[in-house]
Amino acid sequence: MDFVVNNFVWIVVAFVSGGMLLWPMVRGKAAGPSVSPLQATLMINREDAIVLDVREADEFARGHVPNARGIPLGQVASRLGEIEKFKDKPVIVLCQHGNRSASACGTLRKNGFGKVYNLSGGLNAWEQAGQPVTTK
């Protein structure tokens, strides 16, 4: 008991740092499967995957994956009808860094989309991989 009292701060630091190490694994399971930019490109070309960009309209206008559909995260649930016909196709969801898209992936899965993938690293990773971006 004296050990715990004398080393309380160090014990707390150990638990917090352990939690920080485990968080990406826990978050990853909640977000579901993710794909790299290369894997996404293969899915787009081979499986006719749909790309859903959940960034805000002004972000989308500054540049996006060619042929991506732009639906801001806050509107995904109310605009599901626009992408309902793609329920049986792979859907690759992205945002700028990969955080907002994880939430959208959950919404799509809850609404019957079976093949939903989060683009790991978002548009930033897409651009770093040398993949094309358009403003059209």
Side-chain angles (χ1 to χ4, degrees), residues 44 49-53 60 64-70 132-134 136:
I44 292 165
I50 303 306
V51 178
L52 177 63
D53 190 324
F60 186 82
H64 54 272
V65 174
N67 300 317
R69 287 164 171 73
V133 174
T134 185
K136 295 180 184 180

Side-chain angles (χ1 to χ4, degrees), residues 79-89 111-113:
R79 293 175 59 185
L80 283 172
E82 295 176 32
I83 56 172
E84 188 80 23
K85 61 186 172 189
F86 304 116
K87 270 189 171 180
D88 296 326
K89 289 188 175 197
N111 285 280
F113 287 80

Side-chain angles (χ1 to χ4, degrees), residues 1 9 12 19 26 29 31 36 45-46 48 55-56 59 63 65 68 70 73 91 95-96 104-105 113 119 125-126 130:
M1 188 64 161
V9 172
V12 170
V26 172
K29 290 185 192 292
S36 70
N45 292 333
R46 293 182 181 170
D48 201 24
R55 296 175 302 145
E56 294 300 318
E59 293 175 286
V65 174
L73 176 61
V91 178
C95 61
Q96 194 65 42
C105 286
F113 287 80
L119 180 63
W126 180 265

Side-chain angles (χ1 to χ4, degrees), residues 3 6 8 20 22 35 48 57-58 66 69 74 77 81 86-87 95 97-98 108 110 114 116 118 120 122-123 125 128:
F3 177 81
N6 293 333
F8 180 74
M20 290 171 61
L22 293 174
V35 293
D48 201 24
D58 61 321
R69 287 164 171 73
F86 304 116
K87 270 189 171 180
C95 61
H97 303 285
L108 292 174
K110 287 177 188 172
V116 181
N118 190 14
S120 184
L123 188 66
Q128 288 175 355

